[in-house]
mmCIF file of all heavy atoms in Angstrom:
data_model
loop_
_atom_site.group_PDB
_atom_site.id
_atom_site.type_symbol
_atom_site.label_atom_id
_atom_site.label_comp_id
_atom_site.label_asym_id
_atom_site.label_seq_id
_atom_site.Cartn_x
_atom_site.Cartn_y
_atom_site.Cartn_z
ATOM 1 N N ASP A 1 -26.535 31.516 -96.996
ATOM 2 C CA ASP A 1 -26.034 30.384 -96.220
ATOM 3 C C ASP A 1 -24.742 29.853 -96.835
ATOM 4 O O ASP A 1 -23.832 29.436 -96.131
ATOM 5 C CB ASP A 1 -27.081 29.265 -96.179
ATOM 6 C CG ASP A 1 -28.316 29.677 -95.384
ATOM 7 O OD1 ASP A 1 -28.156 30.447 -94.421
ATOM 8 O OD2 ASP A 1 -29.413 29.239 -95.744
ATOM 9 N N LYS A 2 -24.680 29.870 -98.165
ATOM 10 C CA LYS A 2 -23.485 29.428 -98.876
ATOM 11 C C LYS A 2 -23.593 29.894 -100.321
ATOM 12 O O LYS A 2 -24.666 30.325 -100.779
ATOM 13 C CB LYS A 2 -23.355 27.903 -98.826
ATOM 14 C CG LYS A 2 -24.492 27.154 -99.512
ATOM 15 C CD LYS A 2 -24.286 25.650 -99.462
ATOM 16 C CE LYS A 2 -25.431 24.925 -100.191
ATOM 17 N NZ LYS A 2 -25.241 23.462 -100.170
ATOM 18 N N PHE A 3 -22.491 29.841 -101.051
ATOM 19 C CA PHE A 3 -22.506 30.198 -102.462
ATOM 20 C C PHE A 3 -22.964 28.997 -103.289
ATOM 21 O O PHE A 3 -22.581 27.859 -103.005
ATOM 22 C CB PHE A 3 -21.103 30.616 -102.936
ATOM 23 C CG PHE A 3 -20.616 31.900 -102.323
ATOM 24 C CD1 PHE A 3 -19.506 31.914 -101.501
ATOM 25 C CD2 PHE A 3 -21.266 33.096 -102.575
ATOM 26 C CE1 PHE A 3 -19.047 33.100 -100.939
ATOM 27 C CE2 PHE A 3 -20.816 34.282 -102.023
ATOM 28 C CZ PHE A 3 -19.709 34.281 -101.195
ATOM 29 N N THR A 4 -23.756 29.274 -104.305
ATOM 30 C CA THR A 4 -24.128 28.212 -105.245
ATOM 31 C C THR A 4 -23.114 28.177 -106.382
ATOM 32 O O THR A 4 -22.386 29.143 -106.614
ATOM 33 C CB THR A 4 -25.532 28.451 -105.815
ATOM 34 O OG1 THR A 4 -25.581 29.738 -106.443
ATOM 35 C CG2 THR A 4 -26.571 28.421 -104.703
ATOM 36 N N GLN A 5 -23.066 27.071 -107.094
ATOM 37 C CA GLN A 5 -22.105 26.909 -108.175
ATOM 38 C C GLN A 5 -22.705 27.363 -109.503
ATOM 39 O O GLN A 5 -23.907 27.257 -109.733
ATOM 40 C CB GLN A 5 -21.647 25.455 -108.282
ATOM 41 C CG GLN A 5 -20.802 25.008 -107.103
ATOM 42 C CD GLN A 5 -20.154 23.664 -107.352
ATOM 43 O OE1 GLN A 5 -20.729 22.785 -108.002
ATOM 44 N NE2 GLN A 5 -18.938 23.478 -106.844
ATOM 45 N N VAL A 6 -21.830 27.874 -110.366
ATOM 46 C CA VAL A 6 -22.225 28.339 -111.690
ATOM 47 C C VAL A 6 -21.318 27.681 -112.724
ATOM 48 O O VAL A 6 -20.087 27.737 -112.597
ATOM 49 C CB VAL A 6 -22.098 29.874 -111.806
ATOM 50 C CG1 VAL A 6 -22.380 30.331 -113.243
ATOM 51 C CG2 VAL A 6 -23.043 30.568 -110.843
ATOM 52 N N THR A 7 -21.911 27.064 -113.726
ATOM 53 C CA THR A 7 -21.128 26.513 -114.836
ATOM 54 C C THR A 7 -20.967 27.598 -115.892
ATOM 55 O O THR A 7 -21.954 28.148 -116.382
ATOM 56 C CB THR A 7 -21.826 25.290 -115.449
ATOM 57 O OG1 THR A 7 -21.968 24.288 -114.433
ATOM 58 C CG2 THR A 7 -21.006 24.725 -116.602
ATOM 59 N N HIS A 8 -19.727 27.935 -116.211
ATOM 60 C CA HIS A 8 -19.474 28.993 -117.181
ATOM 61 C C HIS A 8 -19.915 28.554 -118.584
ATOM 62 O O HIS A 8 -19.626 27.435 -119.013
ATOM 63 C CB HIS A 8 -17.988 29.349 -117.211
ATOM 64 C CG HIS A 8 -17.481 29.888 -115.914
ATOM 65 N ND1 HIS A 8 -17.993 31.023 -115.326
ATOM 66 C CD2 HIS A 8 -16.507 29.439 -115.074
ATOM 67 C CE1 HIS A 8 -17.349 31.258 -114.191
ATOM 68 N NE2 HIS A 8 -16.450 30.314 -114.013
ATOM 69 N N ALA A 9 -20.623 29.448 -119.284
ATOM 70 C CA ALA A 9 -21.041 29.160 -120.653
ATOM 71 C C ALA A 9 -19.829 28.959 -121.558
ATOM 72 O O ALA A 9 -19.836 28.126 -122.465
ATOM 73 C CB ALA A 9 -21.921 30.288 -121.189
ATOM 74 N N MET A 10 -18.774 29.734 -121.311
ATOM 75 C CA MET A 10 -17.478 29.549 -121.965
ATOM 76 C C MET A 10 -16.438 29.444 -120.863
ATOM 77 O O MET A 10 -16.471 30.231 -119.909
ATOM 78 C CB MET A 10 -17.142 30.737 -122.890
ATOM 79 C CG MET A 10 -17.953 30.808 -124.156
ATOM 80 S SD MET A 10 -17.495 32.267 -125.153
ATOM 81 C CE MET A 10 -15.752 31.919 -125.496
ATOM 82 N N PRO A 11 -15.523 28.475 -120.941
ATOM 83 C CA PRO A 11 -14.529 28.311 -119.864
ATOM 84 C C PRO A 11 -13.730 29.591 -119.627
ATOM 85 O O PRO A 11 -13.464 30.358 -120.556
ATOM 86 C CB PRO A 11 -13.625 27.188 -120.394
ATOM 87 C CG PRO A 11 -14.462 26.456 -121.386
ATOM 88 C CD PRO A 11 -15.351 27.480 -122.013
ATOM 89 N N MET A 12 -13.373 29.823 -118.384
ATOM 90 C CA MET A 12 -12.481 30.929 -118.033
ATOM 91 C C MET A 12 -11.067 30.365 -117.979
ATOM 92 O O MET A 12 -10.670 29.723 -117.003
ATOM 93 C CB MET A 12 -12.877 31.556 -116.693
ATOM 94 C CG MET A 12 -14.218 32.246 -116.737
ATOM 95 S SD MET A 12 -14.568 33.168 -115.204
ATOM 96 C CE MET A 12 -13.422 34.550 -115.352
ATOM 97 N N LEU A 13 -10.322 30.585 -119.053
ATOM 98 C CA LEU A 13 -9.024 29.953 -119.219
ATOM 99 C C LEU A 13 -7.945 30.655 -118.403
ATOM 100 O O LEU A 13 -8.028 31.851 -118.124
ATOM 101 C CB LEU A 13 -8.631 29.950 -120.696
ATOM 102 C CG LEU A 13 -9.604 29.224 -121.629
ATOM 103 C CD1 LEU A 13 -9.256 29.495 -123.078
ATOM 104 C CD2 LEU A 13 -9.605 27.730 -121.346
ATOM 105 N N SER A 14 -6.945 29.903 -118.016
ATOM 106 C CA SER A 14 -5.767 30.484 -117.385
ATOM 107 C C SER A 14 -4.748 30.807 -118.472
ATOM 108 O O SER A 14 -4.937 30.464 -119.643
ATOM 109 C CB SER A 14 -5.178 29.513 -116.362
ATOM 110 O OG SER A 14 -4.881 28.276 -116.975
ATOM 111 N N LEU A 15 -3.660 31.486 -118.090
ATOM 112 C CA LEU A 15 -2.628 31.877 -119.052
ATOM 113 C C LEU A 15 -1.310 31.206 -118.712
ATOM 114 O O LEU A 15 -0.981 31.021 -117.537
ATOM 115 C CB LEU A 15 -2.432 33.395 -119.057
ATOM 116 C CG LEU A 15 -3.605 34.261 -119.503
ATOM 117 C CD1 LEU A 15 -3.259 35.745 -119.333
ATOM 118 C CD2 LEU A 15 -3.975 33.969 -120.943
ATOM 119 N N ASP A 16 -0.548 30.850 -119.724
ATOM 120 C CA ASP A 16 0.823 30.412 -119.496
ATOM 121 C C ASP A 16 1.660 31.626 -119.125
ATOM 122 O O ASP A 16 1.359 32.764 -119.519
ATOM 123 C CB ASP A 16 1.396 29.748 -120.752
ATOM 124 C CG ASP A 16 0.789 28.364 -120.993
ATOM 125 O OD1 ASP A 16 0.359 27.732 -120.008
ATOM 126 O OD2 ASP A 16 0.745 27.934 -122.160
ATOM 127 N N ASN A 17 2.744 31.390 -118.361
ATOM 128 C CA ASN A 17 3.589 32.475 -117.874
ATOM 129 C C ASN A 17 4.977 32.447 -118.487
ATOM 130 O O ASN A 17 5.495 31.374 -118.822
ATOM 131 C CB ASN A 17 3.749 32.380 -116.344
ATOM 132 C CG ASN A 17 2.437 32.526 -115.612
ATOM 133 O OD1 ASN A 17 1.589 33.322 -115.999
ATOM 134 N ND2 ASN A 17 2.265 31.769 -114.545
ATOM 135 N N VAL A 18 5.562 33.634 -118.637
ATOM 136 C CA VAL A 18 6.987 33.762 -118.954
ATOM 137 C C VAL A 18 7.588 34.707 -117.917
ATOM 138 O O VAL A 18 6.884 35.530 -117.331
ATOM 139 C CB VAL A 18 7.244 34.283 -120.382
ATOM 140 C CG1 VAL A 18 6.744 33.290 -121.418
ATOM 141 C CG2 VAL A 18 6.596 35.652 -120.601
ATOM 142 N N PHE A 19 8.912 34.575 -117.698
ATOM 143 C CA PHE A 19 9.528 35.304 -116.607
ATOM 144 C C PHE A 19 10.709 36.162 -117.028
ATOM 145 O O PHE A 19 11.311 36.834 -116.201
ATOM 146 C CB PHE A 19 9.962 34.329 -115.504
ATOM 147 C CG PHE A 19 8.806 33.574 -114.898
ATOM 148 C CD1 PHE A 19 8.407 32.349 -115.412
ATOM 149 C CD2 PHE A 19 8.096 34.105 -113.843
ATOM 150 C CE1 PHE A 19 7.336 31.659 -114.864
ATOM 151 C CE2 PHE A 19 7.018 33.425 -113.280
ATOM 152 C CZ PHE A 19 6.641 32.200 -113.796
ATOM 153 N N ASP A 20 11.057 36.121 -118.312
ATOM 154 C CA ASP A 20 12.136 37.005 -118.780
ATOM 155 C C ASP A 20 11.909 37.337 -120.252
ATOM 156 O O ASP A 20 11.014 36.781 -120.909
ATOM 157 C CB ASP A 20 13.520 36.389 -118.554
ATOM 158 C CG ASP A 20 13.694 35.039 -119.244
ATOM 159 O OD1 ASP A 20 13.255 34.893 -120.410
ATOM 160 O OD2 ASP A 20 14.289 34.134 -118.639
ATOM 161 N N GLU A 21 12.711 38.271 -120.758
ATOM 162 C CA GLU A 21 12.524 38.778 -122.116
ATOM 163 C C GLU A 21 12.772 37.708 -123.165
ATOM 164 O O GLU A 21 12.119 37.696 -124.220
ATOM 165 C CB GLU A 21 13.424 39.993 -122.339
ATOM 166 C CG GLU A 21 13.047 41.180 -121.460
ATOM 167 C CD GLU A 21 13.920 42.394 -121.707
ATOM 168 O OE1 GLU A 21 14.705 42.365 -122.670
ATOM 169 O OE2 GLU A 21 13.809 43.376 -120.945
ATOM 170 N N ALA A 22 13.707 36.810 -122.900
ATOM 171 C CA ALA A 22 13.996 35.743 -123.862
ATOM 172 C C ALA A 22 12.775 34.843 -124.038
ATOM 173 O O ALA A 22 12.450 34.422 -125.161
ATOM 174 C CB ALA A 22 15.207 34.930 -123.393
ATOM 175 N N GLU A 23 12.074 34.559 -122.940
ATOM 176 C CA GLU A 23 10.884 33.711 -123.029
ATOM 177 C C GLU A 23 9.752 34.429 -123.754
ATOM 178 O O GLU A 23 8.973 33.801 -124.486
ATOM 179 C CB GLU A 23 10.434 33.314 -121.623
ATOM 180 C CG GLU A 23 11.364 32.327 -120.935
ATOM 181 C CD GLU A 23 10.867 31.938 -119.547
ATOM 182 O OE1 GLU A 23 10.345 32.814 -118.839
ATOM 183 O OE2 GLU A 23 10.994 30.755 -119.195
ATOM 184 N N LEU A 24 9.652 35.747 -123.573
ATOM 185 C CA LEU A 24 8.630 36.509 -124.293
ATOM 186 C C LEU A 24 8.930 36.517 -125.787
ATOM 187 O O LEU A 24 8.020 36.353 -126.614
ATOM 188 C CB LEU A 24 8.561 37.942 -123.754
ATOM 189 C CG LEU A 24 7.506 38.849 -124.395
ATOM 190 C CD1 LEU A 24 6.105 38.287 -124.217
ATOM 191 C CD2 LEU A 24 7.589 40.266 -123.823
ATOM 192 N N THR A 25 10.191 36.689 -126.137
ATOM 193 C CA THR A 25 10.602 36.650 -127.548
ATOM 194 C C THR A 25 10.328 35.275 -128.139
ATOM 195 O O THR A 25 9.875 35.160 -129.294
ATOM 196 C CB THR A 25 12.090 37.001 -127.667
ATOM 197 O OG1 THR A 25 12.320 38.307 -127.119
ATOM 198 C CG2 THR A 25 12.538 36.995 -129.126
ATOM 199 N N ALA A 26 10.561 34.222 -127.349
ATOM 200 C CA ALA A 26 10.297 32.858 -127.822
ATOM 201 C C ALA A 26 8.802 32.639 -128.044
ATOM 202 O O ALA A 26 8.400 31.954 -128.996
ATOM 203 C CB ALA A 26 10.844 31.844 -126.823
ATOM 204 N N PHE A 27 7.965 33.220 -127.182
ATOM 205 C CA PHE A 27 6.512 33.137 -127.375
ATOM 206 C C PHE A 27 6.121 33.775 -128.709
ATOM 207 O O PHE A 27 5.340 33.203 -129.476
ATOM 208 C CB PHE A 27 5.793 33.838 -126.222
ATOM 209 C CG PHE A 27 4.350 34.163 -126.520
ATOM 210 C CD1 PHE A 27 3.383 33.176 -126.522
ATOM 211 C CD2 PHE A 27 3.965 35.475 -126.821
ATOM 212 C CE1 PHE A 27 2.053 33.483 -126.809
ATOM 213 C CE2 PHE A 27 2.646 35.775 -127.115
ATOM 214 C CZ PHE A 27 1.683 34.785 -127.108
ATOM 215 N N ASN A 28 6.666 34.953 -128.994
ATOM 216 C CA ASN A 28 6.367 35.623 -130.258
ATOM 217 C C ASN A 28 6.782 34.753 -131.437
ATOM 218 O O ASN A 28 6.052 34.670 -132.446
ATOM 219 C CB ASN A 28 7.101 36.965 -130.309
ATOM 220 C CG ASN A 28 6.889 37.692 -131.623
ATOM 221 O OD1 ASN A 28 5.789 38.134 -131.932
ATOM 222 N ND2 ASN A 28 7.952 37.804 -132.426
ATOM 223 N N GLN A 29 7.925 34.083 -131.334
ATOM 224 C CA GLN A 29 8.387 33.232 -132.432
ATOM 225 C C GLN A 29 7.459 32.038 -132.619
ATOM 226 O O GLN A 29 7.177 31.628 -133.757
ATOM 227 C CB GLN A 29 9.823 32.750 -132.157
ATOM 228 C CG GLN A 29 10.466 32.034 -133.332
ATOM 229 C CD GLN A 29 10.540 32.906 -134.575
ATOM 230 O OE1 GLN A 29 11.031 34.037 -134.526
ATOM 231 N NE2 GLN A 29 10.021 32.400 -135.697
ATOM 232 N N ARG A 30 6.943 31.497 -131.523
ATOM 233 C CA ARG A 30 5.992 30.374 -131.638
ATOM 234 C C ARG A 30 4.723 30.819 -132.356
ATOM 235 O O ARG A 30 4.152 30.071 -133.158
ATOM 236 C CB ARG A 30 5.647 29.822 -130.251
ATOM 237 C CG ARG A 30 6.775 29.064 -129.584
ATOM 238 C CD ARG A 30 6.266 28.233 -128.411
ATOM 239 N NE ARG A 30 5.646 29.026 -127.370
ATOM 240 C CZ ARG A 30 6.298 29.601 -126.366
ATOM 241 N NH1 ARG A 30 7.628 29.477 -126.290
ATOM 242 N NH2 ARG A 30 5.658 30.292 -125.444
ATOM 243 N N VAL A 31 4.274 32.037 -132.060
ATOM 244 C CA VAL A 31 3.091 32.569 -132.751
ATOM 245 C C VAL A 31 3.357 32.666 -134.250
ATOM 246 O O VAL A 31 2.537 32.241 -135.077
ATOM 247 C CB VAL A 31 2.707 33.956 -132.169
ATOM 248 C CG1 VAL A 31 1.673 34.643 -133.052
ATOM 249 C CG2 VAL A 31 2.176 33.816 -130.748
ATOM 250 N N LEU A 32 4.505 33.220 -134.607
ATOM 251 C CA LEU A 32 4.867 33.345 -136.028
ATOM 252 C C LEU A 32 4.944 31.977 -136.688
ATOM 253 O O LEU A 32 4.445 31.783 -137.816
ATOM 254 C CB LEU A 32 6.212 34.071 -136.167
ATOM 255 C CG LEU A 32 6.243 35.542 -135.730
ATOM 256 C CD1 LEU A 32 7.679 36.064 -135.747
ATOM 257 C CD2 LEU A 32 5.366 36.393 -136.634
ATOM 258 N N ASP A 33 5.562 31.019 -136.023
ATOM 259 C CA ASP A 33 5.716 29.682 -136.592
ATOM 260 C C ASP A 33 4.367 29.003 -136.800
ATOM 261 O O ASP A 33 4.122 28.382 -137.849
ATOM 262 C CB ASP A 33 6.596 28.813 -135.683
ATOM 263 C CG ASP A 33 8.050 29.285 -135.643
ATOM 264 O OD1 ASP A 33 8.440 30.074 -136.529
ATOM 265 O OD2 ASP A 33 8.778 28.877 -134.712
ATOM 266 N N ARG A 34 3.478 29.127 -135.809
ATOM 267 C CA ARG A 34 2.175 28.466 -135.927
ATOM 268 C C ARG A 34 1.304 29.110 -136.999
ATOM 269 O O ARG A 34 0.466 28.450 -137.608
ATOM 270 C CB ARG A 34 1.465 28.490 -134.568
ATOM 271 C CG ARG A 34 2.095 27.538 -133.553
ATOM 272 C CD ARG A 34 1.319 27.491 -132.255
ATOM 273 N NE ARG A 34 1.913 26.491 -131.354
ATOM 274 C CZ ARG A 34 2.407 26.740 -130.168
ATOM 275 N NH1 ARG A 34 2.385 27.985 -129.690
ATOM 276 N NH2 ARG A 34 2.914 25.785 -129.418
ATOM 277 N N LEU A 35 1.508 30.411 -137.204
ATOM 278 C CA LEU A 35 0.756 31.099 -138.265
ATOM 279 C C LEU A 35 1.461 31.015 -139.614
ATOM 280 O O LEU A 35 0.916 31.468 -140.624
ATOM 281 C CB LEU A 35 0.546 32.571 -137.877
ATOM 282 C CG LEU A 35 -0.351 32.838 -136.655
ATOM 283 C CD1 LEU A 35 -0.358 34.322 -136.313
ATOM 284 C CD2 LEU A 35 -1.785 32.349 -136.923
ATOM 285 N N ASN A 36 2.684 30.468 -139.595
ATOM 286 C CA ASN A 36 3.481 30.318 -140.815
ATOM 287 C C ASN A 36 3.616 31.660 -141.543
ATOM 288 O O ASN A 36 3.308 31.790 -142.726
ATOM 289 C CB ASN A 36 2.855 29.268 -141.742
ATOM 290 C CG ASN A 36 3.791 28.865 -142.871
ATOM 291 O OD1 ASN A 36 5.016 28.952 -142.729
ATOM 292 N ND2 ASN A 36 3.225 28.452 -143.995
ATOM 293 N N THR A 37 4.099 32.667 -140.786
ATOM 294 C CA THR A 37 4.224 34.002 -141.352
ATOM 295 C C THR A 37 5.457 34.698 -140.808
ATOM 296 O O THR A 37 5.955 34.348 -139.730
ATOM 297 C CB THR A 37 2.974 34.846 -141.019
ATOM 298 O OG1 THR A 37 3.097 36.129 -141.627
ATOM 299 C CG2 THR A 37 2.813 35.037 -139.522
ATOM 300 N N ASP A 38 5.949 35.669 -141.560
ATOM 301 C CA ASP A 38 7.028 36.541 -141.096
ATOM 302 C C ASP A 38 6.504 37.942 -140.801
ATOM 303 O O ASP A 38 7.286 38.846 -140.475
ATOM 304 C CB ASP A 38 8.141 36.633 -142.159
ATOM 305 C CG ASP A 38 8.856 35.303 -142.355
ATOM 306 O OD1 ASP A 38 9.021 34.574 -141.350
ATOM 307 O OD2 ASP A 38 9.235 34.983 -143.505
ATOM 308 N N ASP A 39 5.182 38.137 -140.939
ATOM 309 C CA ASP A 39 4.595 39.453 -140.701
ATOM 310 C C ASP A 39 4.735 39.850 -139.231
ATOM 311 O O ASP A 39 4.773 39.002 -138.332
ATOM 312 C CB ASP A 39 3.107 39.452 -141.074
ATOM 313 C CG ASP A 39 2.890 39.241 -142.566
ATOM 314 O OD1 ASP A 39 3.847 39.447 -143.321
ATOM 315 O OD2 ASP A 39 1.768 38.858 -142.940
ATOM 316 N N VAL A 40 4.789 41.148 -138.996
ATOM 317 C CA VAL A 40 4.819 41.652 -137.623
ATOM 318 C C VAL A 40 3.438 41.461 -136.993
ATOM 319 O O VAL A 40 2.421 41.854 -137.573
ATOM 320 C CB VAL A 40 5.220 43.144 -137.593
ATOM 321 C CG1 VAL A 40 5.096 43.706 -136.182
ATOM 322 C CG2 VAL A 40 6.642 43.325 -138.122
ATOM 323 N N ILE A 41 3.410 40.846 -135.840
ATOM 324 C CA ILE A 41 2.146 40.572 -135.150
ATOM 325 C C ILE A 41 1.758 41.782 -134.294
ATOM 326 O O ILE A 41 2.580 42.355 -133.588
ATOM 327 C CB ILE A 41 2.262 39.325 -134.251
ATOM 328 C CG1 ILE A 41 2.637 38.089 -135.083
ATOM 329 C CG2 ILE A 41 0.957 39.074 -133.492
ATOM 330 C CD1 ILE A 41 1.603 37.696 -136.102
ATOM 331 N N THR A 42 0.491 42.149 -134.378
ATOM 332 C CA THR A 42 -0.029 43.209 -133.511
ATOM 333 C C THR A 42 -0.563 42.576 -132.234
ATOM 334 O O THR A 42 -1.364 41.636 -132.280
ATOM 335 C CB THR A 42 -1.152 43.990 -134.203
ATOM 336 O OG1 THR A 42 -0.628 44.618 -135.379
ATOM 337 C CG2 THR A 42 -1.721 45.059 -133.275
ATOM 338 N N TYR A 43 -0.092 43.099 -131.101
ATOM 339 C CA TYR A 43 -0.518 42.593 -129.799
ATOM 340 C C TYR A 43 -1.320 43.664 -129.061
ATOM 341 O O TYR A 43 -1.150 44.864 -129.289
ATOM 342 C CB TYR A 43 0.690 42.209 -128.936
ATOM 343 C CG TYR A 43 1.429 40.980 -129.425
ATOM 344 C CD1 TYR A 43 2.586 41.095 -130.206
ATOM 345 C CD2 TYR A 43 0.982 39.704 -129.104
ATOM 346 C CE1 TYR A 43 3.267 39.977 -130.655
ATOM 347 C CE2 TYR A 43 1.655 38.573 -129.551
ATOM 348 C CZ TYR A 43 2.794 38.720 -130.324
ATOM 349 O OH TYR A 43 3.459 37.603 -130.774
ATOM 350 N N ALA A 44 -2.165 43.204 -128.134
ATOM 351 C CA ALA A 44 -2.806 44.091 -127.167
ATOM 352 C C ALA A 44 -2.171 43.794 -125.817
ATOM 353 O O ALA A 44 -2.059 42.626 -125.425
ATOM 354 C CB ALA A 44 -4.307 43.842 -127.110
ATOM 355 N N ALA A 45 -1.726 44.835 -125.130
ATOM 356 C CA ALA A 45 -1.074 44.665 -123.832
ATOM 357 C C ALA A 45 -1.890 45.347 -122.757
ATOM 358 O O ALA A 45 -2.493 46.398 -122.994
ATOM 359 C CB ALA A 45 0.336 45.256 -123.876
ATOM 360 N N GLU A 46 -1.911 44.757 -121.571
ATOM 361 C CA GLU A 46 -2.619 45.349 -120.444
ATOM 362 C C GLU A 46 -1.957 44.891 -119.150
ATOM 363 O O GLU A 46 -1.366 43.808 -119.097
ATOM 364 C CB GLU A 46 -4.095 44.955 -120.461
ATOM 365 C CG GLU A 46 -4.335 43.457 -120.434
ATOM 366 C CD GLU A 46 -5.688 43.069 -121.015
ATOM 367 O OE1 GLU A 46 -6.340 43.922 -121.645
ATOM 368 O OE2 GLU A 46 -6.075 41.901 -120.839
#
């Protein structure tokens, strides 16, 4: 008759967006800054 509601045990988060290479590079720099490191970060891409 209708769908019932389900409360997620863990929230299903949305993602922030970037639209060009400069913004992607800036995201990587924010990660480095927040981790206080100069190490190369390993990413998973899909």
Side-chain angles (χ1 to χ4, degrees):
D1 293 327
K2 63 178 181 179
F3 293 116
T4 57
Q5 292 191 325
V6 174
T7 300
H8 298 301
M10 288 179 61
M12 294 188 72
L13 301 170
S14 56
L15 296 175
D16 287 333
N17 298 322
V18 295
F19 298 91
D20 58 42
E21 295 181 9
E23 289 181 321
L24 181 60
T25 301
F27 163 75
N28 177 67
Q29 189 59 52
R30 289 195 300 273
V31 168
L32 294 172
D33 292 344
R34 288 184 176 120
L35 294 175
N36 192 27
T37 182
D38 294 325
D39 294 342
V40 174
I41 300 296
T42 298
Y43 290 98
E46 58 204 12

